[in-house]
């Protein structure tokens, strides 16, 4: 939920795709090493979080359920384009609300991809049909399947502050089932609590040890800590000169290695967008096919600066 009382960004920033407010050349990112193709399974979710960047909720269907046949079409395109992708990611909303989720994962796994599913591990995942499907995928594909669980904080009080009273325990119930089923898990947390990274990872480490979860709290790919994505915060624009100034490479930014497929409500077919963070922004829609989506991405949004370039975050494992 966005804070509508927060001061707006400077109106001059993030307006033109080619130049910044100061007239400097805006940075762009080439698709240099595709590693992950994401699918948004739909924005419907069983809960409504305080600060969901995609505003998922039980009533938000701006992105509708994508189907297994539509996923299959893009997997065919991956074969044609020879991108070299190693991972197929599924995000939402809550992916397990999509009735095709197990079948979509099966089709990607059958083609040899690693599959990453982002979930809150609550009621939609705990339905018997989903549990049976996940157990079958585990038996057939082993650790090629990973579920990344949203655990906003290692304490119940702070997690529930974001996701609602009792949600921490419900998520732990799901994680215990995954543990007992032998299904590989990772965790996504948040860095908005005034803790150092070491304090946060120590807290998660204690939680994992207490619950017997085989998750490495010190591995940034296994316990991913995401910065806040607040569009009301004033952040600098990224220019072509920033790479050298910051000592960073455009190859490290998420849109150098991934794209996401979405299906908008009322659309006849899915579309490809630049990344998982900007599914609604028309400027970041790249076309209807992977071939069209190979073009560069201009970093013309606050998330590009704060989350990807300055925060150094990535949604991939």
């Amino acid at each position: 939920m966005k804070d509508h009382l927060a001061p707006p960004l400077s109106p001059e920033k993030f307006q033109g795709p080619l130049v910044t407010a100061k007239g400097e050349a805006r940075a762009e990112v080439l698709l240099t090493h595709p590693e992950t193709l994401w699918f948004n399974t739909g924005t419907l979710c069983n809960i409504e979080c305080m600060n969901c960047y995609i505003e998922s909720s039980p009533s938000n269907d701006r992105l509708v359920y994508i189907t297994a046949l539509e996923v299959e079409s893009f997997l065919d395109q991956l074969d044609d384009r020879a991108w070299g992708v190693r991972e197929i990611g599924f995000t939402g909303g809550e992916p397990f609300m999509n009735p095709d989720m197990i079948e979509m994962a099966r089709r990607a796994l059958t083609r040899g991809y690693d599959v990453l599913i982002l979930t809150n591990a609550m009621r939609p995942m705990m339905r018997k049909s989903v549990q049976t499907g996940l157990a079958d995928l585990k038996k057939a594909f082993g650790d090629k399947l990973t579920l990344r669980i949203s655990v906003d904080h290692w304490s119940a009080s702070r997690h529930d502050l974001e996701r609602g009273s009792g949600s921490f325990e419900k998520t732990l119930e799901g994680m215990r089932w995954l543990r007992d089923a032998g299904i590989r898990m990772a965790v996504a947390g948040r860095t908005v609590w005034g803790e150092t990274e070491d304090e946060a990872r120590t807290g998660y480490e204690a939680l994992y040890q207490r619950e017997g979860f085989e998750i490495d709290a010190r591995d940034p790919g296994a316990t991913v800590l995401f910065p806040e994505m607040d569009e009301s915060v004033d952040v600098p624009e990224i220019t072509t000169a920033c790479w050298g100034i910051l000592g960073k490479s455009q190859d490290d930014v998420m849109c150098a290695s991934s794209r996401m497929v979405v299906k908008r409500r009322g659309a006849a077919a899915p579309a490809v967008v630049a990344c998982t963070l900007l599914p609604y922004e028309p400027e970041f829609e790249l076309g209807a096919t992977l071939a069209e989506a190979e073009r560069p991405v201009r970093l013309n949004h606050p998330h590009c600066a704060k989350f990807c370039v300055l925060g150094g975050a990535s949604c991939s494992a």
Side-chain angles (χ1 to χ4, degrees):
M1 183 181 299
K2 296 180 181 178
D3 183 359
H4 296 290
L5 299 179
L9 288 168
S10 168
E12 294 83 18
K13 285 188 175 182
F14 302 103
Q15 297 301 305
L18 300 180
V19 296
T20 68
K22 294 181 178 180
E24 299 172 294
R26 187 177 303 285
E28 69 175 16
V29 174
L30 305 177
L31 184 67
T32 54
H33 56 291
E35 296 176 354
T36 305
L37 180 62
W38 288 93
F39 291 92
N40 188 292
T41 61
T43 41
L44 287 174
C45 187
N46 56 303
I47 58 174
E48 185 171 4
C49 298
M50 286 288 291
N51 290 288
C52 177
Y53 76 95
I54 201 172
E55 300 176 348
S56 296
S57 75
S59 60
N60 178 10
D61 64 348
R62 288 176 68 184
L63 302 181
V64 298
Y65 291 152
I66 201 164
T67 69
L69 283 175
E70 289 165 335
V71 167
E72 186 84 21
S73 170
F74 282 93
L75 297 179
D76 289 341
Q77 292 179 49
L78 279 180
D79 291 342
D80 295 339
R81 304 308 298 171
W83 277 11
V85 159
R86 63 172 181 81
E87 175 187 63
I88 303 298
F90 295 95
T91 184
E94 169 50 50
F96 289 111
M97 290 183 69
N98 185 316
D100 277 5
M101 184 62 256
I102 295 297
E103 182 59 25
M104 292 187 292
R106 186 186 310 280
R107 295 189 185 199
L109 288 162
T110 298
R111 293 190 183 221
Y113 295 107
D114 293 340
V115 166
L116 177 65
I117 305 175
L118 278 52
T119 178
N120 56 38
M122 296 172 74
R123 182 172 295 177
M125 191 200 78
M126 293 293 279
R127 300 196 308 272
K128 289 299 182 183
S129 60
V130 174
Q131 289 180 325
T132 299
L134 286 172
D136 289 344
L137 293 179
K138 165 62 180 177
K139 182 178 180 180
F141 302 102
D143 285 348
K144 296 286 285 183
L145 172 68
T146 301
L147 270 61
R148 182 191 289 166
I149 319 302
S150 297
V151 184
D152 287 319
H153 193 259
W154 47 265
S155 72
S157 59
R158 286 183 168 175
H159 177 92
D160 285 1
L161 186 65
E162 172 70 19
R163 293 179 177 259
S165 178
S167 62
F168 185 77
E169 182 57 32
K170 290 176 182 176
T171 289
L172 284 187
E173 289 175 10
M175 294 179 73
R176 291 168 189 144
W177 181 85
L178 291 168
R179 174 200 64 198
D180 294 344
I183 296 171
R184 188 181 183 198
M185 287 187 287
V187 157
R190 289 156 53 84
T191 59
V192 298
W193 313 106
E195 299 174 316
T196 66
E197 181 175 341
D198 183 68
E199 288 171 336
R201 294 193 182 280
T202 297
Y204 282 107
E205 195 167 46
L207 171 65
Y208 301 159
Q209 290 176 353
R210 185 168 66 247
E211 294 289 342
F213 298 151
E214 293 186 6
I215 307 170
D216 188 346
R218 302 292 167 177
D219 179 357
T223 301
V224 188
L225 300 180
F226 289 115
E228 180 61 277
M229 291 177 286
D230 185 349
E231 293 183 32
S232 70
V233 174
D234 195 16
V235 293
E237 296 184 279
I238 305 301
T239 71
T240 54
C242 285
W243 305 121
I245 294 170
L246 297 171
K248 295 191 174 185
S249 168
Q250 64 167 297
D251 289 346
D252 298 330
V253 180
M254 187 162 49
C255 49
S257 61
S258 67
R259 293 288 186 265
M260 183 169 75
V261 180
V262 304
K263 189 173 183 183
R264 306 192 190 284
R265 183 179 59 216
V272 187
V273 298
C275 78
T276 60
L277 306 180
L278 299 167
Y280 302 135
E281 305 291 339
E283 184 176 348
F284 290 87
E285 184 169 320
L286 303 177
T289 66
L290 297 186
E292 293 173 308
E294 289 174 349
R295 59 190 174 93
V297 176
R298 297 276 180 171
L299 301 185
N300 191 25
H301 193 279
H303 288 350
C304 304
K306 184 174 183 181
F307 189 82
C308 291
V309 177
L310 302 177
S314 172
C315 286
S316 297

